[in-house]
Amino acid sequence: TFDLDSILSRLIYGRIIYPSSKLATYELSKKFIEQPNFELQHIYRALEVIAKETDFIQSKIYDNSLKICNRNKGILYYDCTNYFFEIEQEDGLKQYGFSKEHRPNPIVQMGLFMDGDGIPLAFCINKGNTNEQVTLKPLEKKIISDFDLSKFIVCTDAGLASNANRKFNDKDNRAFITTQSVKKLKKHLKEWALDRSGWYLENSDKTYSLDTLDEQLYHNKIFYKERWIKEDGLEQKLVVSFSLKYKKYQQTIRSRQVERAQKIIDSKSAKLKKCNANDYKRFITKNHCTADGEVADKESYSINTELIDQEAVYDGFYAVCTNLEDDTSEIIKINKRRWEIEECFRIMKTEFKARPVYLQRDDRITAHFTTCFISLIIYRLLEKKLGEKYTCSEIISSIKNMNFYEIKDEGYIPTYTRSDFTDDLHDAFGFRTDYQIINTKQIKKIIKTTKV
């Protein structure tokens, strides 16, 4: 009784251009040149269908994307994030869990696979209290079966680096690259990793000592060392890298955190007693005794210089574990692109306003994130098509401004200003809308191309 394609396309256009509620999206659709052929209640009924078919939709999107561009499916990146609700009652998918925004609200968790070029591949929605380590295997199995993929490298951060996940990707032509905390290494491995001698540069057999490095000459260089280890029945290569630039970055971050901690102490703020892991307040230590060792009448606070020194030992160091026998520089290069999956989450949360979520039913929540996922794929493909010359905000704001004035029965006059972006957009997709007037026949031809 309704056109699902028409509804889904409007939900996607709205999510990219003017992300808002389903009602606001319906009203926005009336401002498009191609008018909607559905009513508001049809949107909510369509959400039920979209949720039910989300796995099928994801596999078909992948198949169709291969007709548009080559997908770098040999390297897959996986990560998790969560989205909060403006409610307090847990129900269904909405559960209290570890919120990455540190909000006291129920959340849902999203697991996302991205290909080697930064284009989303597949996603799953889990309850907010789900341990993210157990979410990788089920979604990866879906990719293997539904996407007909078998040989690939899975790259994850330390939070998803369980031994079970590593073993799962140590067979059937799959491999893994996963971040490894240097702090959590066994004692002998940590000593080896932090040893100042025995470091290499790419394409060089010379060994370097970190104590004698010229900071100006080697500021942008990455030094590394590697060794094979066998733990819990799994043989893997431990690669540790060191960068003077990364060391400087970590020192700067910590210095600012210590400054904030000192300001809190000086102001005697009530915030002193609240502290999360990696919070700047971790550098504040509480003292219950006087200098003579007697119990003090009042608690006193100071900067924990011992903790600062302990953390400084690890400045500049970064480690990964892998079962690949490839060149170490290639492994480091693959792992460095993990930032793009973080950017995918940022785009969904900020530009696409995927949170807070106001929907209540689990099926509509799943459908909401399905439309966000499709919107992200379309945006990423558009970004690639434009040669990655523009930022996300530049692309979205430029598309928003491409408005037209309708002349009844004649056509449309563009009211936007021609720019490098509009020229590149027209060149990339083979049509133009910046003439003095675009007649109705031309507009219909452009719209027709979106149906192919």
Side-chain angles (χ1 to χ4, degrees), residues 363-387:
D363 57 351
R364 292 179 179 179
I365 291 168
T366 301
H368 165 72
F369 287 109
T370 301
T371 60
C372 292
F373 170 77
I374 300 171
S375 301
L376 184 63
I377 291 178
I378 290 175
Y379 165 75
R380 281 299 202 194
L381 291 171
L382 173 61
E383 186 182 54
K384 301 290 180 188
K385 195 88 170 175
L386 294 172

Side-chain angles (χ1 to χ4, degrees), residues 176-192:
F176 66 85
I177 299 174
T178 188
T179 307
Q180 171 65 53
S181 169
V182 177
K183 291 180 184 178
K184 294 180 180 179
L185 287 171
K186 290 183 178 179
K187 185 181 177 182
H188 70 286
L189 292 174
K190 189 189 296 185
E191 289 174 353
W192 168 81

Side-chain angles (χ1 to χ4, degrees), residues 126-175:
N126 304 299
K127 290 182 178 181
N129 57 3
T130 306
N131 181 343
E132 64 181 21
Q133 291 194 357
V134 303
T135 65
L136 185 145
K137 285 200 285 185
L139 186 56
E140 192 173 331
K141 287 176 181 177
K142 278 187 184 178
I143 290 174
I144 294 168
S145 61
D146 297 354
F147 293 35
D148 196 26
L149 296 179
S150 58
K151 186 177 180 180
F152 50 80
I153 302 164
V154 176
C155 192
T156 70
D157 67 8
L160 290 149
S162 70
N163 206 48
N165 286 340
R166 297 186 199 195
K167 285 183 176 179
F168 180 72
N169 285 304
D170 189 38
K171 57 187 177 182
D172 300 333
N173 293 317
R174 296 193 302 279

